[in-house]
Each structure stands twice: as structure tokens, then as C-alpha cells.
Amino acid sequence: MELNVRNFSIIAHIDHGKSTLADRMLEFTGTISQRDMKSQVLDDMDLERERGITIKSHPIQMNYQHSDKKKYVLNLIDTPGHVDFSYEVSRSLAACEGALLLVDASQGVEAQTVSNAYLAIDNDLVIIPIINKIDLSGADIDSAKHQLMDLIGCEEDEIILTSAKSGKGLQDVFDAIISRVPHPNYQPDEPFRALIFDSMFDSFRGVIPYVRVMDGRIKAGEHIRFFASNASYEVAEVGCFKMGRIKTSSLVSGDVGYIIGGIKDISRVKVGDTITNKIKPAKEPLPGYREIKPMVFSGMYPVDSEDFTDLRSSLEKMALNDSSLVFEAETSNALGFGFRCGYLGLLHMEVIQERLEREFDLDLITTMPNVRYQAIMKNGDMIEIHNPSDMPPAGDIEVVKEPYVKAEVIVQTDFLGNVLKLCQDKRGIYKTTHYLDTEKVQIIYELPLGEIVFDFYDKLKSVSRGYASFDYEPIDFRPGDLVKLDILINGEPVDALSWIVHRDKAFYHGCEFGSKLKELIPRQLFEVIIQAAIGSKIIARTTVKALRKNVTAKCYGGDITRKRKLLEKQKKGKKRMKQVGRVEIPQEAFLAVLKMEH
Amino acid sequence: MKKFSLYIHFPFCIHKCHYCDFYSVILDPSAVDSWVAALLTEIDLYKARFGDSQIETIYIGGGSPNLIGSKKIRSIFASLNTSFRLKNVMELTVEINPGGAKPDFLNQLKDIGVNRVSVGVQSFNNSELTTLGRIHQVEEVFAIFRVLKKIGFDHLSLDLIFGIPGQRLGSWERSLQQAVEMGVDHLSLYNLIYEEETPFYELKGKKKITPADSELEWRMYELAHQWLESRGFQHYEISNWAKPGCESVHNSSYWKESYYLGLGPAAHSYDGISRWWNMRSVDAYIKHLSEGKSPVEDREELNEYDREIEFLFLSLRTHSGLSIGKFENLFLIDFKRVIQKLAQRIDSDEYWIFDGDSFKLTSAGWFVCDSITNQILEITEEVRNDHKKMF
């Protein structure tokens, strides 16, 4: 029965070998033949493969015959591998009974390993510690072992040593999954409850939730209801996952699978929500559901304003597969019609933007990202601010609150000083330091998220020569001395360049932003004056001198064709510029803040 | 073609200058013989088509046409005479390089009827000449001009380059002064361009030479504009200055969209309908003609839009500017509206003069004329779109 089912995840830091281990397990169980194996089957978006990260999770079922001659069903639920998606990770883990905690033998424990290990512990998962890449020359198995033992409090002999690449230690992994991960709690007669841990969109069958059935059973023809969204559907098909969807007669307590119910609206299918039977509903949903809210916002505008409707339909398509992407139309004086998009974090933002440009062939202007602010007005009202240009006049505001996160950095002790200084510069509040061993230290800070969305990652990498790893979780909103920094070009404020900053840094940022823009805005046929202002006070000023020369004079020998083509080429280059007032501003200027040296 | 200009490209040099991207190869006497033979065949090929038309100007450029040799230049002219009507040629120019031009050859040019010689001086400063990779020094320039004046050509012109790495404003002014003292009635002043596939382009890429600051280049251009104007030279085209009546008729044919036939490797032609050009290879040029085949590499038929761009940028190069009436008639656009919008975008009176009938660039305008041309093209599109929306 369901006693031979094992549901598990793999948690690991980027590049520690999660996808390779998954690939080997699929081969080992004959789920996929070696011949059909593209490296890293589970990451099927190009972008994911290029970046070596998993954004969307893909469950997969393997049939495995153990040495005890019994046949087992192993459901591997892959987890998104990035800090922006910690809630999704926690829901995927909640669908499992066990987790493989994979650590690179030469890298040791990283921030993501720690935060995801804690998520697994919070969800009462059995953790199987694995040290991977043991045959690499830089492997330091002893220190990885100590870090793991310190992190999850395991015994040395519980740790499995593998090389996912060569397949070494793979049998030990299977043995541990069978012997250590408990079978699901089998409760087929309870009212039906299934946890949604992901979903996908199929243009023929609608939104398809991926579920772990906790209690009861479900089959086609029955009616289901979603607790959080309160929507009801008739089940058209249920099934499990191999390399694709495999239709089955029913799903029962302990199973991992999908439910098709002709669901058109993705907003009804929320990760973490519970599905129950409409006729015989469960009394309560499964615990842990949270309404997810975007953390980071930015404006998205077509370079060519005629592409607005294309952008809308592309965003709609994108959102069908990604319920965490939200967007609403907005208008900018400078950029015209576009959208304010909300993302879970910076990586999520970059991925969405790249996919839009790549898959839908759109030329986009993206404005600087900002976090969600809360303005508490003098009359007691609270206004949520998703766009700096929506900031009410300073005189009407009692206080502005900004989101804080609990940030965890793991770094070699050599760089501890640098990292502390960086966190301090980013207005961080020091919490604790914990030495993982003599060489690695974990630092906990509370940081304003607004400081992180600019260049915290890049800075962190550079002050630690690439060694530091970083993870965060949102905690709360706190008052901050925040002001709106405006940029004026030839005297006109450009709304798309406004920015909310801490007052202490406003002058410095204003100067630097001005000089960055000066670099990026090409010389025009007139002088361009760039000013930074807070309210009506100008705090910095710089100018782009008028263009003196743009001429290719020679046409000797009568080669007019070449000259004409040259002009046409120049004209095309101009298409990537946005005309703001009389000034032509290149696309990248709107993201200039991210490239500043602050 | 009723009337046309003829260009002959001699693609050989003793040495290739560091900045030059004109098509030329190192001189090889046997290749010159084959080039002459191929040229005579090409002249013959065009005889049927252009034999009845009047040639108004002839220009022999290169390369270094002073290396053609006296006998060969005579046979080229003999062939031209049998194939085309030369009796109304008003301007016959030969380009020469001060390094390697022989008095004997120059005398020969006079005999043939050459009435204009254009000398590739480039600079009156020896270290600048070295930087450029020229084979001559200033002393040879003086010597050549003594010879040219003694022979008594009607018109003399010379070329100078500004914006040479290391060149200062003072040195530029001295070059201008010397140029005028040579007694020329025409000057072509070119701003150095770093063309791809030239040694200069690579040196610039490797940061081994520092290009002149564009502000300095602008001051050099403006200096030439003012200084030469005060000495009786009219700035009649973006890079050309002449005493009244001494403008180059041949060069003007390019920007007035008159018809021209180009012979020799890489030469360009235009017959009012299409543009075509020969292969950019002496060997291929010779091979094709020796087999009786056309050396034309490609041609393009101009569409309405191409014509409009060409008309615009070519007329903006000239002193007389763009004739509003002509442009409006040819391309059906309210050009006054375009200018009005342009003035809204560029709030400045230093770039152009608009007198109601014509739109002319000033010297400041010429130095940014690609930007202005692009602005006008963009606005033209806008005005047309507005017009469409109205109806």
C-alpha cells in the first residue's frame, strides 16, 4: 500500500550538485534512459539551465526496487533554489517526509543550505546529510562533516559521501531514503485534503495544481474546493508525474500528483492552499498557508510605445505560469504607458525581464526596483507606496516605514570584517555571529530590504572575493528617515528616475547618480543639465556638454550608398533611446542606480 | 545619360598610409600593365551605352595616379577619345602624391589637357606626415608646387587632414597658411576618420594612439572656416573650400546627384536610377575584364525612401543647402513643419539658417550634420504619421 511510498526533496546551495544528483537518481531507477538524458532534466527552462538554478519545481516519480526485493515509489519534489522563493520552498518541503541535504565537499555549508535546512527542520522532515563532489581536488570532507554536524546536530556516521557526477555513493543515498525517511501517514478514510505546492499552465487544460494528498482520496468526476480562494471545480483528471503527466484512476493519502479541473484563473490556485472535497469537506485547511505579497517593484515600459498591448499580453501569459508575478498598468510622464510589476525579489525580477525580452521579443525599459513602503499620514491613514513617484508630499506624512529582513551571511572568517562593514554601511542592525568552524562564520543582521535591492549581492561578492553566501527572510516594517530623491533633466523632473533613499545618504547618492547619468546620456545638440533634488532643494548638478562633432564627411569616389547605410544604422541605434522632453535617454539609464559604486 | 562625369580609379601606391581605407594595393609594374588593359576593355564595354553622351568632367583618383606613367596615361586618353565624347570636358583633374610625382609625367598631363591637379599634401608638418605614414616630407611639397606652377595648370587644389594625433591648433593654422601660400584656388580639408581595417583603427583599439579631442577638432574646423573665408575661400561644401568660380565641378556632381560613371576597381557609378560599383580587388577586376565579363560587384536600385535620405544628406552638405520647394515637390512633405518641429527639439540658432526658401547648415551644423540629418529623418516620419492620423 502507501507504506512503500517515500516523498522527499533535495536542498542544496546553487552549484552544489542538486540537479546532477537528481539526474543520476532518474537514470539509476530507469525513469529516464541515459540516451535521453539532457544534462539536468528537471530544469527545463533555458534560462534555468543557463543560470544553473531552479526556479520552478518539477515533481517526478521513480519506481525503485530495493535490496529487500520490495518495490518502492519515490516522489522527488524539487525546490526552487533561490532566496526570493523561500515560501515556495517551505511549501514544497511541507509536502515531503524527508530531505536530502546536499553540501559540496569543497565549499561546505552556505547560507542557503542553512536557511533551507531550518525550513526542513521546521516542517519536521527527516534530514539525510550528504557531502557531494568528494573526489574533487579541493574537497575538505572533514570540515564539511563538522559543519553539517554543527548545523543539524547529526552523527558523523549518518553522513553519506557521494560523487553525483560519477554515481559514487548513490546506492547509499537510496538505502537512506528507504530506511530513514518515514512513509507517509496513510489516512485514506479522512475527508480529502491536499496541499498545493506548485502549479503550471497548460493552454488546453488550464491551470494545473501540483499537490501532495495528505488525507483521503480523489478521483475524476468529484468536486473540489480551494480553502483560501473558495473556488470550486469538477475534477476532470488526476495523475502522477514521470517525465510527463501520467493519468491515474485516483490519488490517495500519501500520493504526489496533479489535479485537472478546467481552472482558468491562476489567482485561484495559490501555493500553500488546501484543496478539499466540496461535498464532504475537511473542517480545517492544512497549516502554513500565507498570502504572498511582492517584495520588489519596478516599472516596465516598451521602448516603442506601440508595443504596449504586446507587453500586456506577454505579461498575462507569463503570469499564467507564475502566480507570484503581479502587475498593473501605470503611466509615467517620461515613459508613457507601461506596467508596475511586483516580484518576490531581485532574481525573480531579472528572470521575468529576461524571459519577456527573450521569449516575447520585446524591447523594454525597466526602471529602478524599489521595495514596498508604508506612509503613515498625519491624518492617521496608511498609504502603501509601490512607486517612488506616488510618495505624498513630505508635509502630509507623519512617518514612512520600510520593510526589514533578517539576513544571514556565511563567509570565511578572513572576510568577516569586510562583511560587517558592508552590513553596517547598509544601515544594518547587528544581531549575532556564530562560528561554524574555525574558518567559517555565520552572521545575522537585520537590514532594510531597500538597501539590499540595489547592489547588496554584488557588493557582498566583491568584499568576500565571491565566497560569501546570503539568504534573508522578511520580518517587519520599521520607521525610517526616508526621502524622495528626484532627478531633473533640463529642469523637468523625470518621474521614472525618482528614488526613495535614506536622508543621510541622499546627498551622496544624488551626486553619484548624477554622474552615472552623465556617463550614460550621450551628448545631444544642446547642453543637458542633470540635477538631483529633494523636494524643491537641488542637492547636485552636472551637465552633459553639447555635442560638437558627429559627421562622416567623406563621400569621395561617389560611394553614397555607404554613407546612406551609415545614417540608417545611426537611426536604428536611436530607436533604443527614449525621448524624454527634448532629451534622448538610453534604456540603461533607467537602471543606472544599480550600476553605481555606492 | 545625356551628360555625365567620369571617374577613373588607379589602385596602386608605393606605400599604404596608416589612415587610408581607399582601395589600393602596393605598386607592382606588371599589375599596372594588366590594369591598363582591363581599363581599356571596361571603357569599350561602356561605349555602346555612353558613347553618345557628353562627358563634362574627368577625375583620375587613387591610389597614386602619378604612378601611371606617361605612355600609359596617353593610351588611356586615346581610348577615352575613341569611345566617348570628350570635346566638352570642362574640368579634367588628376590626383597626385608629392612623394613620387615626376616632372616629366606632370608635363605629360598638361599635354593631354589636364587643367586641374589635386595634391595630397595632408600636412605641412613633417612629424604629422610621419604619424600619418605618408612617404613624402614638406620639402617635396614645395618642390612639386614649383613644378606645377611652372607648367602652368589652370587650377591647383590640395588636401589637408586635421585631427591628427598630437596635432595642435597652432600647427593646423600653419598648415592652412602654407596651403594658401602654395597658390591653390581650392582646398579639401578632411577630419581624420579611424576607418575599420586600417592600421590607425587598430592602434586606436589598442590605445597606442590617442585620437584628438572632438572639441579640438571642432576648433580646427571652425578656424579653417573663419580663416579661409577671410582670405577669399568660400566654404562651399562640408569639406571643400574654393575661390569664387573654382569649385570642383566633378566633386559637386556627387552631391548634386548628377550622373557619373566610375571605372577601375571599387569605382562607383550612378545613372539617376541605380547605383553600382566595381569589385574591390585589382585581381578580380583584371580577371573579369580579361574574360570579357563585367567587373560590377553589385548594384542597387534606389527606392523613394533611399532617394529622400540621399537628397537630404547630400544637399545639407552644400553651401546652398536644401531647397524647400524642391524637397517638398519631390517627396510630398510639409518641410516647413519639419523645420518648425526641429527648432522645438533643438533650441539653438547656431546650427542652421532658414530663410524661407532654403535650409542651410552653418559650419557648426556641418560638424554635427549626421545628428541633424537623423533628427530631420525622425521628424519627417513623425510629420507623415501625424498626417496619416488626420485623414
Side-chain angles (χ1 to χ4, degrees):
Chain A
M1 294 294 270
E2 297 299 313
L3 303 180
N4 62 352
V5 172
R6 297 291 182 275
N7 297 321
F8 69 100
S9 284
I10 308 175
I11 52 188
H13 194 73
I14 294 166
D15 282 343
H16 280 203
K18 180 170 76 170
S19 300
T20 316
L21 178 64
D23 288 353
R24 282 303 93 77
M25 295 178 79
L26 294 179
E27 274 172 28
F28 191 87
T29 52
T31 312
I32 182 168
S33 69
Q34 211 154 358
R35 192 159 39 89
D36 297 338
M37 178 71 90
K38 272 195 241 170
S39 168
Q40 304 183 5
V41 174
L42 293 181
D43 301 348
D44 66 1
M45 279 196 277
D46 284 352
L47 207 58
E48 293 187 358
R49 197 166 292 134
E50 266 169 42
R51 296 191 164 207
I53 48 169
T54 311
I55 298 152
K56 300 240 350 148
S57 44
H58 302 249
I60 194 159
Q61 190 180 87
M62 297 173 264
N63 295 316
Y64 168 68
Q65 176 147 10
H66 194 47
S67 52
D68 60 7
K69 302 283 182 244
K70 284 190 200 149
K71 286 184 176 157
Y72 288 85
V73 172
L74 309 183
N75 287 309
L76 165 59
I77 296 176
D78 201 17
T79 52
H82 190 268
V83 49
D84 292 349
F85 301 87
S86 63
Y87 172 70
E88 278 78 355
V89 174
S90 84
R91 293 307 84 203
S92 289
L93 293 175
C96 301
E97 278 77 27
L100 310 182
L101 176 62
L102 196 64
V103 169
D104 184 318
S106 56
Q107 308 292 319
V109 166
E110 304 280 13
Q112 248 178 294
T113 334
V114 178
S115 53
N116 286 348
Y118 289 154
L119 282 178
I121 292 167
D122 289 348
N123 280 292
D124 293 326
L125 264 56
V126 167
I127 294 176
I128 301 173
I130 302 176
I131 296 174
N132 190 27
K133 305 194 190 182
I134 50 167
D135 39 16
L136 279 190
S137 58
D140 182 353
I141 297 170
D142 277 348
S143 119
K145 272 184 181 170
H146 283 110
Q147 291 174 15
L148 270 173
M149 283 151 65
D150 179 67
L151 174 67
I152 56 170
C154 64
E155 297 298 325
E156 188 172 349
D157 60 4
E158 289 175 42
I159 299 172
I160 298 172
L161 304 182
T162 65
S163 162
K165 203 153 201 174
S166 69
K168 195 187 286 179
L170 202 56
Q171 185 61 55
D172 297 341
V173 174
F174 279 100
D175 290 348
I177 291 171
I178 302 302
S179 62
R180 296 191 217 167
V181 177
H183 61 75
N185 190 9
Y186 186 52
Q187 308 191 74
D189 302 322
E190 294 291 308
F192 175 66
R193 285 203 300 181
L195 170 72
I196 302 174
F197 59 85
D198 197 7
S199 70
M200 66 89 68
F201 178 77
D202 180 301
S203 43
F204 298 107
R205 320 219 56 180
V207 183
I208 304 176
Y210 294 176
V211 298
R212 156 70 196 272
V213 181
M214 294 298 182
D215 306 323
R217 53 177 81 233
I218 191 78
K219 62 179 192 294
E222 290 181 309
H223 289 262
I224 49 169
R225 188 167 69 82
F226 291 69
F227 265 96
S229 63
N230 208 23
S232 308
Y233 301 94
E234 184 183 335
V235 176
E237 180 184 319
V238 297
C240 63
F241 302 96
K242 292 284 168 67
M243 287 315 291
R245 293 196 300 264
I246 307 288
K247 187 175 168 181
T248 58
S249 59
S250 66
L251 289 176
V252 67
S253 170
D255 282 347
V256 172
Y258 65 89
I259 299 175
I260 293 174
I263 306 168
K264 292 283 171 279
D265 184 357
I266 193 177
S267 67
R268 303 299 166 91
V269 181
K270 296 180 171 176
V271 169
D273 192 9
T274 302
I275 305 178
T276 190
N277 191 304
K278 194 182 173 191
I279 315 294
K280 284 185 294 175
K283 282 196 192 73
E284 281 183 356
L286 297 160
Y289 172 73
R290 227 169 60 203
E291 183 84 29
I292 47 168
K293 280 182 149 190
M295 302 291 287
V296 175
F297 298 84
S298 87
M300 203 182 275
Y301 293 82
V303 173
D304 184 346
S305 46
E306 313 239 307
D307 289 344
F308 175 76
T309 42
D310 282 354
L311 176 57
R312 179 197 292 279
S313 70
S314 305
L315 278 168
E316 281 165 356
K317 278 182 201 146
M318 194 75 77
L320 283 174
N321 260 316
D322 184 348
S323 58
S324 49
L325 167 68
V326 298
F327 60 94
E328 55 181 22
E330 72 170 5
T331 319
S332 150
N333 297 334
L335 300 176
F337 293 108
F339 295 93
R340 194 91 201 148
C341 299
Y343 311 95
L344 294 177
L346 268 191
L347 179 91
H348 187 215
M349 177 180 100
E350 279 173 30
V351 167
I352 296 283
Q353 286 164 359
E354 261 187 67
R355 286 186 61 192
L356 282 172
E357 297 214 338
R358 201 184 288 207
E359 293 169 31
F360 298 94
D361 194 25
L362 290 168
D363 230 352
L364 299 173
I365 289 176
T366 309
T367 64
M368 294 176 265
N370 59 270
V371 299
R372 172 203 310 274
Y373 294 96
Q374 296 176 343
I376 312 296
M377 309 302 286
K378 290 212 165 121
N379 65 9
D381 290 353
M382 196 269 279
I383 297 176
E384 275 226 346
I385 297 163
H386 296 175
N387 181 344
S389 64
D390 295 341
M391 184 87 135
D396 301 346
I397 302 175
E398 185 67 41
V399 65
V400 180
K401 290 181 170 180
E402 60 178 330
Y404 269 69
V405 297
K406 182 181 150 206
E408 174 203 352
V409 177
I410 292 184
V411 72
Q412 269 62 15
T413 47
D414 295 356
F415 305 115
L416 177 61
N418 293 351
V419 173
L420 292 177
K421 181 173 183 305
L422 173 66
C423 291
Q424 224 50 53
D425 287 349
K426 295 286 182 186
R427 301 193 278 127
I429 301 160
Y430 172 80
K431 286 293 167 192
T432 58
T433 309
H434 171 68
Y435 283 84
L436 300 177
D437 57 25
T438 52
E439 275 160 29
K440 261 188 154 177
V441 60
Q442 177 197 41
I443 310 147
I444 307 287
Y445 256 88
E446 287 173 0
L447 282 162
L449 182 62
E451 295 285 344
I452 290 174
V453 300
F454 289 125
D455 61 350
F456 188 78
Y457 290 99
D458 295 345
K459 269 276 144 68
L460 184 65
K461 288 286 170 199
S462 82
V463 301
S464 68
R465 291 208 207 119
Y467 282 115
S469 61
F470 168 70
D471 205 340
Y472 69 79
E473 59 179 285
I475 36 180
D476 53 10
F477 279 76
R478 297 178 189 177
D481 191 2
L482 300 167
V483 292
K484 185 168 71 130
L485 183 69
D486 290 316
I487 296 293
L488 288 76
I489 291 189
N490 280 357
E492 295 293 322
V494 179
D495 56 359
L497 292 173
S498 290
W499 183 22
I500 293 173
V501 295
H502 194 266
R503 190 183 300 276
D504 292 350
K505 293 184 172 184
F507 175 74
Y508 182 58
H509 282 338
C511 291
E512 245 201 311
F513 193 16
S515 44
K516 193 75 213 173
L517 285 172
K518 181 181 170 170
E519 261 173 53
L520 291 169
I521 296 176
R523 289 186 172 203
Q524 328 248 324
L525 289 166
F526 41 84
E527 195 175 64
V528 176
I529 298 165
I530 302 164
Q531 290 164 305
I534 297 171
S536 57
K537 193 175 156 214
I538 304 290
I539 58 163
R541 181 187 197 276
T542 178
T543 57
V544 180
K545 283 203 274 178
L547 178 77
R548 264 298 163 214
K549 175 186 161 180
N550 181 19
V551 54
T552 33
K554 57 183 211 186
C555 283
Y556 347 81
D559 186 357
I560 307 298
T561 306
R562 180 171 165 206
K563 169 81 183 168
R564 193 186 67 238
K565 294 204 164 135
L566 206 77
L567 275 170
E568 280 168 359
K569 203 171 132 199
Q570 284 192 2
K571 192 163 164 248
K572 271 204 190 109
K574 277 184 64 165
K575 282 247 151 93
R576 290 186 75 86
M577 302 269 207
K578 195 84 188 175
Q579 186 100 26
V580 176
R582 298 182 334 191
V583 182
E584 285 163 356
I585 301 181
Q587 273 169 300
E588 61 267 26
F590 294 95
L591 269 177
V593 156
L594 295 182
K595 294 178 188 108
M596 278 166 36
E597 290 292 314
H598 58 99
Chain B
M1 293 205 276
K2 276 264 178 286
K3 291 175 180 174
F4 67 102
S5 294
L6 183 69
Y7 175 79
I8 295 176
H9 190 70
F10 176 78
F12 299 97
C13 282
I14 293 173
H15 171 261
K16 187 102 188 154
C17 302
H18 300 335
Y19 58 90
C20 176
D21 82 322
F22 287 110
Y23 179 64
S24 70
V25 296
I26 301 300
L27 181 71
D28 162 7
S30 69
V32 176
D33 290 341
S34 313
W35 171 80
V36 175
L39 181 68
L40 299 188
T41 313
E42 196 185 15
I43 291 170
D44 205 44
L45 280 182
Y46 282 111
K47 181 180 174 179
R49 217 171 130 196
F50 299 113
D52 293 334
S53 314
Q54 297 286 349
I55 298 187
E56 296 201 303
T57 68
I58 300 177
Y59 194 104
I60 303 182
S64 307
N66 48 284
L67 303 173
I68 295 177
S70 305
K71 240 171 81 186
K72 294 188 190 100
I73 193 105
R74 272 206 309 273
S75 67
I76 292 166
F77 272 86
S79 166
L80 288 175
N81 251 316
T82 53
S83 297
F84 303 123
R85 296 182 173 204
L86 299 189
K87 70 173 192 297
N88 290 322
V89 172
M90 56 174 117
E91 184 186 279
L92 206 176
T93 309
V94 176
E95 249 177 33
I96 64 159
N97 189 335
K102 306 248 165 53
D104 172 45
F105 177 76
L106 299 176
N107 273 309
Q108 201 56 238
L109 294 182
K110 175 78 179 168
D111 285 353
I112 291 167
V114 171
N115 60 0
R116 189 169 178 273
V117 174
S118 170
V119 187
V121 173
Q122 315 313 356
S123 167
F124 282 91
N125 175 313
N126 278 337
S127 82
E128 286 167 14
L129 288 170
T130 309
T131 305
L132 291 171
R134 299 293 298 189
I135 54 168
H136 70 270
Q137 294 276 279
V138 177
E139 293 65 32
E140 289 160 89
V141 175
F142 295 147
I144 269 299
F145 272 96
R146 278 196 293 274
V147 177
L148 291 171
K149 273 189 251 177
K150 206 169 132 201
I151 297 171
F153 288 99
D154 299 347
H155 301 287
L156 294 177
S157 176
L158 66 80
D159 292 358
L160 292 177
I161 292 179
F162 66 98
I164 302 166
Q167 186 181 33
R168 290 163 185 261
L169 197 61
S171 151
W172 173 239
E173 188 171 356
R174 277 192 295 282
S175 277
L176 289 172
Q177 206 160 354
Q178 297 269 23
V180 172
E181 282 169 16
M182 289 299 104
V184 295
D185 57 20
H186 186 277
L187 282 161
S188 298
L189 311 181
Y190 297 114
N191 190 185
L192 181 67
I193 300 176
Y194 294 81
E195 300 280 6
E196 276 177 50
E197 287 171 35
T198 61
F200 258 24
Y201 184 81
E202 279 175 30
L203 289 169
K204 182 186 162 204
K206 290 179 188 151
K207 301 204 186 310
K208 290 199 174 151
I209 48 174
T210 316
D213 178 62
S214 63
E215 201 69 34
L216 175 64
E217 291 179 315
W218 154 245
R219 277 158 62 201
M220 289 176 166
Y221 187 67
E222 186 57 14
L223 175 79
H225 176 75
Q226 309 256 355
W227 198 88
L228 290 172
E229 205 105 307
S230 73
R231 277 151 188 84
F233 286 85
Q234 200 184 29
H235 195 169
Y236 74 100
E237 196 262 353
I238 197 161
S239 317
N240 288 288
W241 280 257
K243 292 261 175 77
C246 300
E247 297 84 4
S248 163
V249 185
H250 183 87
N251 285 348
S252 302
S253 71
Y254 297 145
W255 49 80
K256 287 185 177 155
E257 302 210 71
S258 313
Y259 309 149
Y260 50 89
L261 177 62
L263 305 176
H268 285 250
S269 305
Y270 176 62
D271 66 1
I273 297 161
S274 54
R275 298 191 180 279
W276 68 94
W277 49 92
N278 284 347
M279 294 157 175
R280 202 179 152 90
S281 153
V282 191
D283 292 343
Y285 172 79
I286 291 168
K287 186 165 183 284
H288 273 74
L289 284 162
S290 71
E291 293 165 1
K293 287 188 289 196
S294 160
V296 170
E297 182 183 83
D298 207 357
R299 61 169 62 237
E300 61 164 1
E301 204 126 316
L302 299 180
N303 62 31
E304 194 64 9
Y305 183 63
D306 297 335
R307 275 171 207 290
E308 183 174 319
I309 298 185
E310 290 192 358
F311 186 90
L312 182 71
F313 80 75
L314 289 170
S315 49
L316 289 183
R317 295 170 67 90
T318 65
H319 178 248
S320 42
L322 183 136
S323 151
I324 309 292
K326 203 169 165 195
F327 193 77
E328 289 186 338
N329 280 336
L330 279 173
F331 304 107
L332 306 174
I333 175 107
D334 180 356
F335 198 73
K336 285 186 180 148
R337 173 95 189 105
V338 173
I339 297 169
Q340 197 186 357
K341 283 195 155 205
L342 180 69
Q344 282 164 8
R345 279 199 193 183
I346 303 161
D347 182 19
S348 162
D349 52 7
E350 67 172 321
Y351 297 120
W352 65 80
I353 297 162
F354 174 53
D355 61 11
D357 296 326
S358 64
F359 177 82
K360 304 169 191 171
L361 296 188
T362 60
S363 57
W366 270 332
F367 220 54
V368 291
C369 75
D370 287 6
S371 293
I372 292 181
T373 307
N374 269 314
Q375 293 281 354
I376 293 178
L377 286 173
E378 218 175 80
I379 296 170
T380 309
E381 216 173 285
E382 242 177 67
V383 169
R384 287 215 168 94
N385 284 339
D386 290 351
H387 193 77
K388 268 187 221 149
K389 278 175 201 158
M390 273 163 61
F391 295 98

